Amino acid sequence: MEKIKMTTPLVEMDGDEMTRILWADIKKELLEPYIDLKSEYYDLGLPHREKTRDQVTVDSAEATKKYGVAVKCATITPNAQRVEEYQLSQMWKSPNGTIRAILDGTVFRAPIMVKGISPVVKNWKKPITIARHAYGDVYKNSEFQPKGPGKAELVFTAADGKETRQTIFDFTAPGVLQGQYNTDRSITSFAHSCFQYALDSRQDLWFATKDTISKQYDHRFKDIFQEVFDAEYKEKFETAGITYFYTLIDDAVARVIRSEGGFIWACKNYDGDVMSDMVSTAFGSLAMMTSVLVSPEGNYEYEAAHGTVTRHYYRYLKGEETSTNPMATLFAWTGALEKRGELDGLPALRTFARKLEGAAIAVIEGGVMTRDLSALWEGEDPAQPVTSKDFLKAIRAELESAL
Ligand code: NAP
Ligand code: MG
């Protein structure tokens, strides 16, 4: 078979530990034999971030803006222990944080579903994608603990010096206090990313906040979404046969649990943080959760939702063959290749990406899987837990027969 040609390079962001090992294996076993892989390679592995003083992370994000599509391996976010372990000159920031700040996007997380491993919520038949606004609110708050009686006020000093004051609370005893903010600009980009992604994936979009209680703050989110929708997406949604639906967060929670899935749930920052953990746990495994950052300009960065699987890596370093699940990392690749194919008009690349996903799912549904999944398996015949290497080989065999 002649290898599939690409026209625009994919921005390839390599990473750390066990996922770096899987990364190379996926390329060698499942991509390079079939695609004339065109990628612009950035090594975001911690040693190289240290060597370039983290410039490589910035460069990779800039390249994503230039080419439009990136695929990223999980990376270590250094803490004190990592600074020692890797002898770092400083505690470099989270690469995901740096990339997100440059691309200014929304993160969409969706589970990969397979027959034989069912969600805890039994009526969920299709994936639920969580879109989390990754800017502001409680994550950029100012907090204060009054130690005794006193008046807490909200003061805004406009650029022209004019002050607006509002009493928050008259404390008669010690307590706690918090201020938070967001910007119209960020909320607007969040809205665009959500509507764009809904159109791309042809799924309904739900959005929910607590606007009945937060009559200005949360209400602003609701209004901006509606304005953006009415101005730019209403007709496009009608044409695509999908809907935009706003409701109170309490109502959304109840509806999500009773639903059969198959939609995008847009959440404010904190709601998205908490709800994505609940939804991903209920779908089964973090190793089956994909993640894509979509910028308001339409740039895409695909990755797995899990980390570098450190515990497995330490076993790998001792010479053990591990049974680490490569599905989410593989789907980051297929998602990126499919998007590249779509943008560049390369149907062969898109078909290949879909067949590769199909082959990987078929292998699991046939009872062959990594150990994290075999524990959840409900198929009639017992699952066959295999090493990552053997799992990739099984996918290759399945793919060969599909091509
Ligand atoms: P993790 O790498 O997601 O792993 C936590 C545990 O979840 C693993 O020990 C493993 O459980 C299970 N697991 C996760 N992915 C798996 C997979 N593909 N196959 C099988 N089991 C899997 O999280 P962490 O240990 O908290 O973090 C490790 C490093 O990753 C940290 O340095 C952190 O900074 C980084 N991180 C990066 C990203 C990112 O780049 N997006 C995200 C999160 C964390 P068992 O050991 O029980 O098998
Ligand atoms: Mg969380």
Side-chain angles (χ1 to χ4, degrees):
M1 194 186 96
E2 209 188 310
K3 286 191 189 182
I4 298 164
K5 292 265 184 302
M6 293 176 65
T7 45
T8 315
L10 205 56
V11 178
E12 178 182 351
M13 305 171 175
D14 206 346
D16 289 297
E17 300 194 313
M18 204 59 220
T19 38
R20 187 181 179 98
I21 308 297
L22 295 176
W23 191 263
D25 289 346
I26 288 170
K27 282 173 70 179
K28 192 166 114 263
E29 193 75 44
L30 298 174
L31 303 175
E32 283 163 353
Y34 307 100
I35 305 172
D36 212 347
L37 200 61
K38 219 174 166 170
S39 80
E40 198 165 286
Y41 180 84
Y42 293 86
D43 184 359
L44 266 55
L46 193 46
H48 196 246
R49 272 183 277 152
E50 165 71 19
K51 202 169 149 200
T52 62
R53 307 196 58 76
D54 210 23
Q55 185 59 38
V56 65
T57 308
V58 174
D59 292 346
S60 72
E62 293 298 342
T64 308
K65 274 187 161 170
K66 177 172 166 198
Y67 294 116
V69 187
V71 57
K72 180 180 170 292
C73 180
T75 47
I76 292 169
T77 297
N79 54 15
Q81 181 257 319
R82 297 297 199 168
V83 169
E84 202 168 301
E85 182 184 357
Y86 283 84
Q87 310 209 320
L88 303 178
S89 57
Q90 53 175 287
M91 202 184 286
W92 303 109
K93 289 199 190 120
S94 148
N96 288 48
T98 303
I99 293 165
R100 217 179 284 146
I102 294 171
L103 296 179
D104 173 28
T106 299
V107 176
F108 296 84
R109 267 183 166 201
I112 304 160
M113 293 181 76
V114 292
K115 287 190 207 88
I117 297 175
S118 39
V120 176
V121 180
K122 64 178 187 299
N123 42 286
W124 286 358
K125 302 277 183 279
K126 297 177 204 158
I128 294 170
T129 302
I130 299 257
R132 171 182 171 190
H133 184 212
Y135 179 80
D137 300 352
V138 72
Y139 300 85
K140 291 274 183 192
N141 69 2
S142 308
E143 298 185 317
F144 184 70
Q145 292 192 29
K147 296 292 179 220
K151 182 157 93 170
E153 288 177 288
L154 207 52
V155 181
F156 176 74
T157 315
D160 65 5
K162 192 170 171 282
E163 248 180 41
T164 316
R165 279 172 185 268
Q166 197 174 311
T167 302
I168 299 169
F169 192 61
D170 275 311
F171 285 92
T172 54
V176 283
L177 187 62
Q178 180 185 80
Q180 43 174 289
Y181 74 92
N182 223 298
T183 64
D184 282 6
R185 184 173 172 273
S186 176
I187 302 167
T188 306
S189 343
F190 174 41
H192 278 291
S193 298
C194 290
F195 290 126
Q196 200 60 55
Y197 190 85
L199 282 172
D200 271 5
S201 63
R202 287 193 174 252
Q203 296 183 87
D204 291 343
L205 177 69
W206 297 15
F207 181 43
T209 71
K210 192 78 177 175
D211 64 293
T212 49
I213 298 298
S214 173
K215 289 187 171 33
Q216 301 226 20
Y217 198 108
D218 279 16
H219 215 282
R220 189 79 195 120
F221 279 78
K222 177 183 177 179
D223 288 344
I224 289 177
F225 264 69
Q226 196 61 49
E227 283 159 24
V228 170
F229 180 68
D230 291 343
E232 292 190 41
Y233 296 96
K234 209 173 169 128
E235 278 157 34
K236 290 179 188 157
F237 267 50
E238 269 163 25
T239 313
I242 57 174
T243 56
Y244 167 59
F245 167 63
Y246 178 87
T247 187
L248 190 65
I249 185 110
D250 315 47
D251 179 47
V253 169
R255 283 174 188 258
V256 164
I257 296 295
R258 284 197 309 263
S259 78
E260 61 166 42
F263 56 88
I264 301 155
W265 182 12
C267 292
K268 283 180 61 201
N269 209 349
Y270 175 82
D271 298 338
D273 183 352
V274 178
M275 292 305 168
S276 68
D277 281 352
M278 186 200 68
V279 169
S280 64
T281 306
F283 270 107
S285 165
L286 198 57
M288 296 289 275
M289 191 63 64
T290 62
S291 179
V292 55
L293 175 71
V294 182
S295 85
E297 286 84 38
N299 299 313
Y300 295 77
E301 184 242 314
Y302 292 84
E303 63 174 321
H306 60 77
T308 60
V309 211
T310 310
R311 280 207 291 261
H312 293 212
Y313 183 59
Y314 291 157
R315 295 210 297 270
Y316 168 87
L317 289 180
K318 285 187 195 143
E320 197 182 312
E321 281 287 344
T322 70
S323 182
T324 317
N325 191 338
M327 284 293 279
T329 303
L330 175 62
F331 275 58
W333 272 102
T334 52
L337 289 169
E338 154 98 49
K339 181 52 79 179
R340 201 61 277 167
E342 182 196 322
L343 296 176
D344 295 348
L346 303 171
L349 192 60
R350 300 184 72 179
T351 308
F352 174 79
R354 274 196 295 263
K355 283 195 173 157
L356 180 50
E357 289 182 357
I361 288 173
V363 168
I364 297 177
E365 291 182 345
V368 176
M369 65 202 75
T370 46
R371 211 168 280 282
D372 56 309
L373 295 184
S374 60
L376 306 169
W377 180 247
E378 299 161 334
E380 278 175 21
D381 300 319
Q384 300 168 44
V386 294
T387 61
S388 305
K389 275 218 157 60
D390 287 343
F391 182 65
L392 293 176
K393 284 209 170 72
I395 298 175
R396 170 119 185 222
E398 185 72 34
L399 179 66
E400 290 283 343
S401 62
L403 288 173

